[in-house]
Amino acid sequence: GENVEQHPSTLSVQEGDSAVIKCTYSDSASNYFPWYKQELGKRPQLIIDIRSNVGEKKDQRIAVTLNKTAKHFSLHITETQPEDSAVYFCAASRDYGGATNKLIFGTGTLLAVQP
Amino acid sequence: SAVISQKPSRDICQRGTSLTIQCQVDSQVTMMFWYRQQPGQSLTLIATANQGSEATYESGFVIDKFPISRPNLTFSTLTVSNMSPEDSSIYLCSVVPASSQAYGYTFGSGTRLTVV
């Protein structure tokens, strides 16, 4: 079945440094790749997403890259701040908006930004 | 994005009983999903709630244990039946807005269930 692997499981960086989280998916039909941030006790919040017709997308300090051939996608956070500390989940689905668009989540990365 | 009201936010239940969780959305949505998130873990899809037809369950989840209703395009319920302590978890609903231009999948605030 579909599977999304995510690495690392924990990541500690100094404030101002960059953080990179990587995911690999198994379903070659996947074409939508969102990233969620979940703070303790709160619901997951979508922070950025990418569709398979683009290779990179950027939103201020956050960027996502996609390599469809290798079935890899990555989240890049630059100039990290303490408020970036949270658990980050990648996910993948096929056919966004269609009948088979369930999201399959990665295992999560606990990011700690040290002041 | 769609606004989701999920109830209850938390509950403590006796083993062997059932709990029904509700999700109300402020706009019509095509797809609603129910997830389970065990402490410190990722989100696992339980089922996809289809309007006008039976829910589609993922491997390891069955209708007798997790019956789902989807009476219209703005509302769904998930029941956790005959509960055991292993069912203690956070349950979340998620929706995909009807517009293909809308911003992604949105989650409800979750229901924290403790079974004693």
Side-chain angles (χ1 to χ4, degrees):
Chain A
E2 306 99 330
N3 185 48
V4 178
E5 295 186 359
Q6 183 171 346
H7 299 281
S9 57
T10 61
L11 179 59
S12 181
V13 299
Q14 291 294 126
E15 182 176 359
D17 287 351
S18 295
V20 180
I21 303 170
K22 298 182 179 182
C23 287
T24 304
Y25 59 98
S26 62
D27 183 1
S28 56
S30 296
N31 62 8
Y32 175 66
F33 308 93
W35 286 88
Y36 286 85
K37 176 183 180 182
Q38 188 175 33
E39 297 174 331
L40 189 63
K42 298 191 175 180
R43 76 188 82 186
Q45 296 278 4
L46 179 66
I47 56 172
I48 195 167
D49 59 7
I50 192 168
R51 288 169 170 77
S52 60
N53 56 345
V54 296
E56 184 173 356
K57 183 177 178 181
K58 189 172 182 180
D59 183 4
Q60 299 184 345
R61 297 185 298 110
I62 296 173
V64 56
T65 59
L66 172 64
N67 182 331
K68 281 222 75 179
T69 303
K71 293 191 283 188
H72 289 170
F73 58 113
S74 300
L75 177 71
H76 305 253
I77 305 174
T78 59
E79 301 171 26
T80 53
Q81 301 167 3
E83 50 266 36
D84 294 329
S85 298
V87 178
Y88 290 81
F89 293 99
C90 63
S93 79
R94 56 166 75 177
D95 192 25
Y96 176 85
T100 55
N101 57 3
K102 60 184 180 181
L103 278 178
I104 304 300
F105 280 84
T107 48
T109 297
L110 175 61
L111 173 64
V113 180
Q114 309 297 332
Chain B
S1 60
V3 176
I4 305 172
S5 173
Q6 184 173 343
K7 302 186 221 185
S9 58
R10 60 179 63 227
D11 207 341
I12 301 173
C13 300
Q14 296 291 323
R15 67 179 67 199
T17 63
S18 297
L19 176 71
T20 295
I21 303 166
Q22 300 180 1
C23 268
Q24 177 74 53
V25 191
D26 68 343
S27 58
Q28 291 186 343
V29 294
T30 51
M31 310 295 288
M32 295 183 76
F33 305 91
W34 288 96
Y35 287 86
R36 181 173 73 183
Q37 186 175 29
Q38 295 178 310
Q41 303 294 314
S42 184
L43 291 89
T44 300
L45 182 64
I46 298 171
T48 301
N50 306 302
Q51 196 267 332
S53 64
E54 281 200 359
T56 304
Y57 288 84
E58 297 300 303
S59 175
F61 298 96
V62 295
I63 188 171
D64 290 346
K65 177 67 175 177
F66 298 102
I68 287 171
S69 78
R70 179 87 196 272
N72 56 52
L73 291 175
T74 63
F75 186 77
S76 179
T77 67
L78 169 76
T79 299
V80 186
S81 303
N82 188 24
M83 289 184 283
S84 67
E86 293 71 37
D87 294 320
S88 298
S89 190
I90 297 172
Y91 293 84
L92 299 116
C93 63
S94 175
V95 303
V96 179
S99 168
S100 64
Q101 303 302 314
Y103 189 57
Y105 298 62
T106 306
F107 283 86
S109 53
T111 296
R112 183 180 296 272
L113 171 62
T114 303
V115 184
V116 298

